[in-house]
Amino acid sequence: MQHSTLSLAGAARRAGIALCLALALPLTAAAQQLPPAKQVIDRYVEAVGGREAIARHRFRTMETEMSMPAMGMTMPMKMVMAAPNRIVTTAEMPGAGTLRSGYDGSVGWQVNPMTGPSLMSGAELEQVAQTADFFSLLNYDKLYRSMETTERTELNGRPCYRVKLTTATGRESWQCFDTETGLMVASGGKQESQMGSMEVTSLLSDYKEFDGIRMATRSTSKMMGQDMTMTVKSVSHAPVDASVFALPAEIQALAQAKRP
């Protein structure tokens, strides 16, 4: 209660206080039922295998398939990662060619067969750097300046705790974690690209274990009015040669030209 409210006199003051307490108690009780965001995240880490299992690996190669039913398009994709923060992704675009993108720890880049090579900057660079963090599950405290459990809701057919996440630059996103299993069932936020910023919501399901780590093998996203489904075909944690993450020649030229 505000001190000014408590200063009201007589019956009006007592009636006001009684009314405020009656209204506030249910809200307070509801708020107390929401676990702290860190607790929700820690439970998620344990649900997917635990800190030791996550920290055990240094490389990951994931073969996936992306389908957009409305457009009748399906394309194979491959993502290769290496600790602490390197990533390269390739996607075979039907009738267009190979879309490549990556991050080598400092440079974020993309080679689009339709628009050519480009360097990432701003929010797009921050986003790819966050994606490239091999141990992102263990680094929530570093990746986000604030985490807040905002509600208990239902998404993807499951009851879940929705956690609001804010980066140091103020970019906001959210993730929802199953109240029973602790696994992530949905996520959302603005996705940065050459086309600009767009809102994306993803539903995660079909968790399977790969080398001691449980991962969602199906993700259905809504973006720009389109439904896109990504299905994981295989996951390997075998070592990968460092040359995989070398900047393409056209990207090296752009990076060199950008240097003062």
Side-chain angles (χ1 to χ4, degrees), residues 55 125 196 205 234:
L125 181 61
S205 61
S234 67

Side-chain angles (χ1 to χ4, degrees), residues 74-226:
T74 298
M75 60 181 179
M77 301 178 65
K78 182 178 181 179
M79 181 183 72
V80 184
M81 300 181 68
N85 57 353
R86 292 177 294 169
I87 187 172
V88 171
T89 302
T90 58
E92 300 300 328
M93 302 173 66
T98 303
L99 173 67
R100 295 175 290 160
S101 63
Y103 182 75
D104 70 347
S106 59
V107 178
W109 57 272
Q110 178 174 278
V111 179
N112 189 316
M114 294 182 288
T115 60
S118 62
L119 297 176
M120 297 181 186
S121 61
E124 187 179 18
L125 181 61
E126 178 190 36
Q127 188 169 273
V128 73
Q130 184 172 321
T131 301
D133 188 332
F134 195 87
F135 300 116
S136 59
L137 289 183
L138 307 179
N139 291 334
Y140 270 73
D141 289 343
K142 297 178 182 178
L143 295 173
Y144 304 103
R145 73 181 183 195
S146 67
M147 304 184 294
E148 178 189 4
T149 308
T150 58
E151 64 176 336
R152 187 183 191 278
T153 184
E154 183 172 315
L155 286 170
N156 205 14
R158 297 295 303 170
C160 57
Y161 293 121
R162 182 170 173 138
V163 175
K164 177 183 175 182
L165 305 163
T166 306
T167 68
T169 61
R171 185 166 58 88
E172 296 181 354
S173 60
W174 58 268
Q175 297 173 351
C176 220
F177 302 88
D178 194 306
T179 60
E180 297 177 11
T181 67
L183 296 171
M184 189 188 304
V185 296
S187 65
K190 289 185 177 180
Q191 185 80 21
E192 305 298 334
S193 70
Q194 291 181 325
M195 299 175 61
S197 180
M198 59 193 78
E199 196 72 28
V200 180
T201 298
S202 300
L203 304 180
L204 312 177
S205 61
D206 297 352
Y207 276 82
K208 296 180 182 179
E209 184 175 322
F210 300 94
D211 301 320
I213 302 176
R214 297 178 71 186
M215 302 180 186
T217 60
R218 183 180 176 86
S219 173
T220 301
S221 302
K222 291 186 178 294
M223 180 172 62
M224 297 178 64
Q226 297 286 339

